[in-house]
Amino acid sequence: MRVFWPADAIKSDKPGVLIGWRNSETDLLIAAVLHDAQPRSVENALRVGTLYRDSPHPVTKILHLCGPAPLQILGLVNPKDATATPLSPHQIVAYTQPSTRYPSIVSSSYVAVAVQIVIFERPQTSKMQYMSLEPMALAIDDKTDRAGLIAPPFEAIDAAEKKEERRKEDLVEKLKLHTVIRYPATQMELNLPTIIQQINCSYDVNNLLQKNVGLVRPRPRRTLSVSERVVESATDLWDYTQLAFWYAFNEWIYPVVTKVFIYGLMAHRMAGELIVLAADHRFGPRQIALRDISATAQQVDLRLQQFCYWPFQYFTLRDSKNDWDSVTSNHPEYIRFYNSLWLVANDVIMGIAIGSFIIENADAVAHRVDKLIIDWSLDGLRRIISWLMVYPAGLKLNKDLADFLGDLFLWVIDYWSGCVTLFQPFFPNIIRFTGFASFAGASMPLSLASDIVSLITLHIYCFYVAAARIYGWQLNIIISLFHLFRGNKRNVLRNRIDSCDYELDQLLLGTILFTLLTFLLPTVVVFYFTFACARMGIITTKAILDTMLACLNHFPLFALMLRFKDPRRLPGTMTLTAHTLWRMLTL
């Protein structure tokens, strides 16, 4: 038999009555110990609802959360008469002492059954503490847009993830069929979720029963003294004054403030929704939206979605105050709400510091950015291409092809350099705009920097795409000609390599083209490798900026603080510590 006993109900030697739930013949959970109370009076009070008076919320809801078992008397504790017997033969009699670490059950109807006492720390639901068999889920699925459609960049990824999940689920089901020994779940294991829920509700139930325990142990009330009457009169006068001020505030000030706030919130919500719709708009079913290609649009979209979602989170949390603290369904929403608020506050604070620095040093920052653009993306790339045209690192490249590709890329760089020169006078203003945008948060200059890097290095991306296409086409042609050189061909319908008889002129032409493209391949590979390295450097830079943005937007700062401050507010599992010497389990 298992008896779940709260740790705060052990250090007392007063007689009392044990109140709790009987989940089965072998599972008892103590919710409260009513000291100096008679069992008959407590039983009648539970039956007529006397112990449930002045309940802040409906008692039926919290009792429904605790499972089908009713709240009842489970036995006696520290009876004055050693020969006292419980009201029912299934009830227990236990003894506790301030010096003992666990209760001792000295008499019950289970004398021939081993008794296992599980001591648990009662979660304080007023501090949002609770126990759970599963970790709390804090992530929000944000891959789908408002229309329920998946963005094109994530469609293939999500489909592959779902397919892999289904494959793993099918594999797990097959493994279950091949298990040699399968033990059915015992009644104790089936009762564990209900017991966890009862432990979470025991704090509120205990407070309610302890508040009304005086109704089952009446005590004569003495009359108030003169000094106590004076204090009570002064307290009543102060209460009346507070009530008058509160009435005036509710009747004259609060309605005006509320309407102004609601109108402002509605205007903000409408503007936010319009901007979000513009950022998410797609001109076709397979077209990409603005936020899919711009980090700034994605950041603005994220912030506006948070601002639009905050009122719903606030109303959800406000409505949760009208319910029992033992209802833990809104606790993840609480952590999400305050985590996002905290992240936005930190983002704005850091953004103000960064923006102030950028605005004060706009000219110096613009000069530094201009120098970096010219040195790295224009002059540096021009030097590398010129180096590739004159046997780089001693490599024997095809000079004609290298000169052709080099002249082509250099011509594009010169044209792009002219375009950048036209925008150079506007660089200080762009930097100042970035500084003013920083007052919306440090994430704004990071997202703007990511977009500026993408725009400034657009020519490098074009070079990479062109070199990759040329390399891919040439490699595919070489592979096809190699099959021809061996007397084979690729069967597209059956997706295999078949033998084929070629004529002499076909073999001769194929051999010549194969030799020609093979000797030209190193030159193309060198250019492709150069632009691929440049593209990887740009991707690395954007990845660093995106990582910083992700930390500013999604770092679980509030959850980590709760983990260090009060780990019981973020349950992930349970730990049972066995004490064989004391024949006790600690939960």
Side-chain angles (χ1 to χ4, degrees), residues 275-292:
I275 298 176
V276 169
L277 290 176
D280 293 345
H281 179 69
R282 294 182 174 86
F283 294 96
R286 302 297 299 176
Q287 301 296 324
I288 60 176
L290 178 61
R291 67 182 181 93
D292 296 329

Side-chain angles (χ1 to χ4, degrees), residues 26 54 79 82 126 157 163 213 266 268 281 489:
T26 57
D54 299 330
S126 59
I157 299 176
K163 183 178 179 180
V213 69
M266 291 176 61
H268 176 271
H281 179 69
K489 70 173 183 178

Side-chain angles (χ1 to χ4, degrees), residues 446 540-554:
L446 291 177
T540 303
T541 303
K542 291 176 61 65
I544 294 174
L545 295 175
D546 292 342
T547 303
M548 298 172 66
L549 280 174
C551 291
L552 290 175
N553 292 325
H554 306 291

Side-chain angles (χ1 to χ4, degrees), residues 115 199 292 363 400 523 534:
V115 178
I199 291 176
D292 296 329
D363 295 332
D400 295 332
T523 304

Side-chain angles (χ1 to χ4, degrees), residues 483-484 486-490 497-503 506-507:
H483 293 322
L484 181 144
R486 296 187 303 155
N488 297 327
K489 70 173 183 178
R490 182 174 185 81
I497 304 298
D498 296 336
S499 59
C500 181
D501 295 331
Y502 294 99
E503 296 181 0
Q506 293 177 336
L507 291 174

